Amino acid sequence: MGRDTIADVITSIRNADMNKKGRVRIASTNITENIVKILLREGFIENVRKHRENNKYFLVSTQQPRRNRKGPYRTILKRISRPGLRVYSNYQRIPRILGGMGIVILSTSRGIMTDREARLEGIGGEVLCYIW
């Protein structure tokens, strides 16, 4: 049985945010690199660098510091489509998270992109996760 690398990325970032860790180490694959690039572009992650250790590549990301870390405001990542239940959506029915404040990451025929990009291009795909 294979590993769910997308769920591993989401869980690592969520756990680091809850434990107020500054850095997260993620196994580097094409999918995880694309997801981390989206998180970097949207401002959920401050910095990313690729690290090589024992002939394996890892992504080391630095979390965005929050002003009030004691408060309820945290980055929430929720996995939607999983190996046992795939969730697909056309571009007209892509969900809006918090009225457009959050983002949806989709795997489309043109690569991994956010909900805004998919709506602009008019393509749907597999709904990977929600972030708000």
Side-chain angles (χ1 to χ4, degrees):
M1 194 166 169
R3 293 183 55 182
D4 189 8
T5 56
I6 299 169
D8 291 343
V9 170
I10 291 171
T11 303
S12 298
I13 293 171
R14 186 185 317 124
N15 289 342
D17 190 44
M18 289 175 65
N19 293 327
K20 301 174 187 171
K21 301 274 185 186
R23 293 185 177 178
V24 180
R25 195 174 106 166
I26 302 165
S28 178
T29 63
N30 289 336
I31 294 172
T32 59
E33 286 182 21
N34 290 331
I35 290 174
V36 168
K37 284 179 187 176
I38 289 174
L39 292 174
L40 180 66
R41 190 174 59 227
E42 294 291 329
F44 291 104
I45 293 176
E46 184 178 346
N47 190 10
V48 176
R49 65 182 171 88
K50 200 168 188 177
H51 178 69
R52 183 178 179 190
E53 184 177 306
N54 296 332
N55 294 330
K56 293 184 180 179
Y57 287 96
F58 295 97
L59 296 173
V60 179
S61 67
T62 307
Q63 296 281 11
Q64 185 79 321
R66 305 283 183 207
R67 287 187 220 152
N68 185 8
R69 294 295 285 195
K70 294 180 182 178
Y73 182 73
R74 287 198 172 116
T75 302
I76 298 174
L77 294 106
K78 185 176 181 184
R79 176 85 156 117
I80 302 302
S81 184
R82 49 192 173 91
L85 178 65
R86 302 288 186 184
V87 178
Y88 296 96
S89 176
N90 63 5
Y91 79 97
Q92 297 163 337
R93 295 184 186 242
I94 296 173
R96 293 186 188 272
I97 306 302
L98 295 177
M101 297 288 290
I103 62 171
V104 177
I105 296 180
L106 297 158
S107 175
T108 66
S109 59
R110 297 185 190 156
I112 296 178
M113 61 179 66
T114 63
D115 57 338
R116 285 178 234 129
E117 295 168 348
R119 281 190 199 99
L120 285 174
E121 293 191 22
I123 56 174
E126 181 182 355
V127 180
L128 297 178
C129 61
Y130 297 158
I131 303 170
W132 70 90

